[in-house]
Amino acid sequence: MTVNGLRWALGLMSGTSLDGVDAALIETDGEQISRFGPSLTLPYDDTLRARIRSLLDRAEGVAEDEPELLAIERDLTFRHCEVVAELRLRAPDIVPAVIGFHGQTILHQPENGRSWQIGDGALLQDRCGVPVICDFRARDLEQGGEGAPLVPVMHAALLRHHPEACAVLNIGGVANVTLLGPLAEGTREIWACDTGPGNALLDDWALRHTGIACDFGGALAQKGCVDGHVLAALLSLPYFTRPMPKSLDRLSFHPQAMALVESLSAEDGAATLAAFTVETIARTPMALTPERWFVAGGGRHNPVLMSGLRKRLGSVEDVDALGWDGDALEAQCFGLLAARFQRNLPSSWPQTTGVKNPCVAGNAVI
């Protein structure tokens, strides 16, 4: 149902942490968000997660018609169908007008004009009976952009009345930041980029040493000491001196980083990788100095990361302090992006992705 241009949109996101599918409902006209509906996460089972991770590790050599790829894409899409069905059961009075379907990124190479998300939008639309918007990065890449990050439009919508210069930091598998200039005459400038690794390296390190795909509560890193020489070597990688906008693949630093920490203990390696995430955020060349930082994503649950960020950046708060759901924010964003597509509104700009002109993100499933 549409009232005064407002409609319910359902957003789906499966991020680079590979933990599962997030789903969220928002009421929006593509510009403002009037209400938040429920949200939920359905984890990937261990087998599907392992299959997706195997695909990531060899994605450059995978053919788009490879049977195993198609099987993973089908199973991943069915998981998305399940989360949509469960969310609609929890909100039986809400009828979504559109679904924003990001899919699962298995390769992101903006330098080659390529960002590959798997997921069968036609199958999702057929099973759910709701129009699906997907393929959110292609147009941006075609027009010279990085194809990422796409969440700045969500951050700007939520902070449209916030007067001061601020930053919204999302720490998923990769970390990205949105810089919002001070509000002036109802408008503000927006800049964005991927800052560096978020949880991905730390997750992989924890899995290797503990068998658990996450350093829960920063328990491993808290017991370790940062190796200054290894950290300096990590920070010397050329990506970190590039100005924004810029973006990363989940595995961009994986070979070099894992080789550098290989000789460290489990605890010291975790502490060093956590410090690497913090330092790459703090050292990102930025267009302005934010007065406040708001942190979303799974990384905000890691006290080692949050403590390090507060020491380096000053005023750092969990986005939940704003009344947001920091675990649902990216899924909510893809609901917003779908609504913006339907109104032909841009979702990326030269200062957020490097695209030549403001770009409408997404494509409709026919």
PDB file of all heavy atoms in Angstrom, residues 3 157 274 310 362:
ATOM      1  N   VAL A   3       0.936   5.373   0.665  1.00  0.00           N
ATOM      2  CA  VAL A   3       0.248   6.508   1.257  1.00  0.00           C
ATOM      3  C   VAL A   3       1.166   7.717   1.143  1.00  0.00           C
ATOM      4  O   VAL A   3       2.277   7.715   1.674  1.00  0.00           O
ATOM      5  CB  VAL A   3      -0.097   6.252   2.747  1.00  0.00           C
ATOM      6  CG1 VAL A   3      -0.791   7.464   3.334  1.00  0.00           C
ATOM      7  CG2 VAL A   3      -0.954   5.012   2.889  1.00  0.00           C
ATOM      8  N   ALA A 157      20.122   9.761   4.717  1.00  0.00           N
ATOM      9  CA  ALA A 157      18.677   9.849   4.954  1.00  0.00           C
ATOM     10  C   ALA A 157      18.362   9.844   6.441  1.00  0.00           C
ATOM     11  O   ALA A 157      17.510  10.609   6.916  1.00  0.00           O
ATOM     12  CB  ALA A 157      17.968   8.688   4.254  1.00  0.00           C
ATOM     13  N   ALA A 274      43.346  -6.741  14.891  1.00  0.00           N
ATOM     14  CA  ALA A 274      42.365  -5.771  15.388  1.00  0.00           C
ATOM     15  C   ALA A 274      42.937  -4.353  15.304  1.00  0.00           C
ATOM     16  O   ALA A 274      42.252  -3.410  14.884  1.00  0.00           O
ATOM     17  CB  ALA A 274      41.969  -6.102  16.822  1.00  0.00           C
ATOM     18  N   ARG A 310      37.984   4.528  20.003  1.00  0.00           N
ATOM     19  CA  ARG A 310      37.794   5.671  20.904  1.00  0.00           C
ATOM     20  C   ARG A 310      39.133   6.334  21.239  1.00  0.00           C
ATOM     21  O   ARG A 310      39.220   7.563  21.333  1.00  0.00           O
ATOM     22  CB  ARG A 310      37.072   5.223  22.171  1.00  0.00           C
ATOM     23  CG  ARG A 310      35.606   4.850  21.917  1.00  0.00           C
ATOM     24  CD  ARG A 310      34.823   4.575  23.184  1.00  0.00           C
ATOM     25  NE  ARG A 310      33.419   4.337  22.858  1.00  0.00           N
ATOM     26  CZ  ARG A 310      32.828   3.163  22.874  1.00  0.00           C
ATOM     27  NH1 ARG A 310      33.523   2.074  23.235  1.00  0.00           N
ATOM     28  NH2 ARG A 310      31.563   3.036  22.551  1.00  0.00           N
ATOM     29  N   GLY A 362      20.778  -0.276  -9.338  1.00  0.00           N
ATOM     30  CA  GLY A 362      19.866  -1.404  -9.415  1.00  0.00           C
ATOM     31  C   GLY A 362      19.307  -1.657 -10.801  1.00  0.00           C
ATOM     32  O   GLY A 362      19.403  -0.834 -11.713  1.00  0.00           O
TER      33      GLY A 362
END
